[in-house]
Amino acid sequence: MADHDDISKPLLSHSPHLILTIQNDDPQTNRRSSPRNHHHRNRNHVVGKDKDSNADSRSNPFSFLGLDWFRVPGTNTVDPFRNHTVKIEGIYEWVKIVICLPIALVRLVLFGACLSVGYLATRLALAGWKDRQNPMPKWRCRIMWITRFCARFILFSFGYHWIKRKGKPAPRELAPIVVSNHLSFVEPIFYFYELSPTIVASESHDSLPFVGTIIRAMQVIYVNRFSPPSRKRAVNEIKRKAACDRFPRVLLFPEGTTTNGRSLISFQLGAFIPGYPIQPVVVRYPHVHFDQSWGNISLGMLMFRMFTQFHNFMEVEYLPVMSPLDNKKESAARFAQRTSYAIASALNVVRTSHSYGDIMLLEKALQAKKENPSAYLVEMASAELLHHMSSLDAVDFLDKFLSMNPDPSGLVKYHDFVKVLRLKDCTLVEEIFSFIDVEKSEAITFKQFLFASANVRKQPLFQRACELAFTECDAGGNGYISEQNLGDSIRPAIPNINEDEVHQLFDLFDADSDGKISKDEFLTCLRKNPLLIALFSPFLLHKDLSDE
């Protein structure tokens, strides 16, 4: 894809900025009495493009790690996971639901009957079959046709009386892999009826009642998205089954989760690493009153709304087959990008860098009952790429951030930041907060907090600095740090810290509450709270961190 197709790039190139600093003669406005004045004093250090001439290294609390001022990518206001009709609103909708209630009961009975018949047929097809590594025998596949017809009637019970199709599925030998956007639980049911493919699914799906048995009959490829060995095995299975014409084609939802269909999030590379031709498929759910996407809506409510619609619209478009360029030498990332662009163009939507990690952050914010959970989306695909930040790590950082009591817009003020990290208001702590507050708004967002923490932690000298900090604190060479040792070590950074404040900070490091900090506890705490490494900067500044 050409560079101009990349929507993440700026439309206008940046030219150097001229920054004028205006001195105020009023001494009351020039003195430093709060983080507010401190932020304004250092604004030119971050905004200026010429960091060498504008940035004062003494105001950067992490300069000893070789870390310069960082930038946070602009916040994307798009929430690709939000269902837009969670609540039933309008007289028309209420009247329609009341009218459809008797119909919904009939549909529910039809759904239950079809699911039961399909389940029994699947159990019959699987009976006595132990060689699951090879393709299912043809006579067993013929029994599975019963389940496939049941799947179509299940779609009918949900109100999909007819489904508009555009284009045709390519022959299996031309496109052994199919990829599709993913909005609801409806697409897997449709594709099972239409293509009877092998699917790639989370290991947790195996334990689902009824459904788990059916997807096992589809010779599902299980994957644990958080396990690199599991992902590697899944890619090998995709390649093995795509290479053999006796297996069904392989179906993947490369977004890895459901969206609301108003944007296309980042693609996982599992479908593209094998290097086989791929047929992209686009699914749409045209609607006016009822958004059928599986966003922030429960499964029960989504099914109820489907049952109480006169008709639900669904459109499926088969796009032209795409193959790797340069005789299969094209990288998987580039192949995925071209396919993503083709699907986004067909849907006429934007592409974003959100991923499944953002779903985890969203669920954490929802559990915390935040008024604007979308404020905690960070487009995890870009965070993983830039900082090697795992989704689980990001959730841990969000836990810490939520404990800082963000306001309804998702902003944390200075005093809450200091309280949660168990720090004391001082020049160094103000500098740490100012380092995070790249927009100099006197409040920080989760995205800023996450990127600042990740930038510190990814520095090559960070691990060495943590080990040297432990050695310095372990004055007696006993292999652990006492509360007195910790207080003596951080007083050069926070001169006025009292014993109670030292005790609070000590408790943060002392995970097992045994009255002493082991090396593992110390390093683990700094990895979870990398900003705290600045507390040890006074003596680390004089150490050679590059020594092994």
Side-chain angles (χ1 to χ4, degrees), residues 131-135 172 176-177 198 219-221 233-248 250 274 276:
D131 187 14
R132 304 293 177 88
Q133 294 300 311
N134 290 315
R172 195 248 182 248
I177 298 177
T198 291
Q219 296 191 268
V220 63
I221 300 172
R233 285 194 299 271
V235 170
N236 290 334
E237 274 296 284
I238 293 170
K239 188 173 183 178
R240 183 178 77 89
K241 292 185 176 181
C244 179
D245 287 341
R246 293 188 299 126
F247 279 107
V250 182
Y276 287 100

Side-chain angles (χ1 to χ4, degrees), residues 74 120 146 149 165 181 190 201 220 260 296 348 507 540 547:
L120 293 175
I146 299 174
F149 280 120
R165 295 171 176 81
N181 62 320
F190 169 80
V220 63
N260 58 20
N296 53 322
N348 193 27
D507 284 344
L540 290 175
D547 286 346

Side-chain angles (χ1 to χ4, degrees), residues 175 177-181 191 278-282 317-322 338-340 342-343:
I177 298 177
V178 173
V179 297
S180 170
N181 62 320
Y191 286 126
I278 286 174
Q279 183 171 33
V281 187
V282 168
E317 179 179 0
Y318 293 92
L319 302 181
V321 174
M322 303 184 67
R338 287 197 300 114
T339 307
S340 171
I343 293 178

Side-chain angles (χ1 to χ4, degrees), residues 59 70 81 119 135 163 176 203 212 297 427 443 489 506:
S59 65
F70 73 102
F81 310 111
Y119 172 74
I163 298 172
E203 293 176 345
I297 183 172
T427 300
S489 299
F506 182 84

Side-chain angles (χ1 to χ4, degrees), residues 96-117:
K96 180 176 60 177
I97 288 174
V98 171
I99 294 175
C100 288
L101 280 177
I103 302 175
L105 293 176
V106 175
R107 289 175 170 176
L108 182 60
V109 171
L110 176 62
F111 167 76
C114 291
L115 185 62
S116 300
V117 172

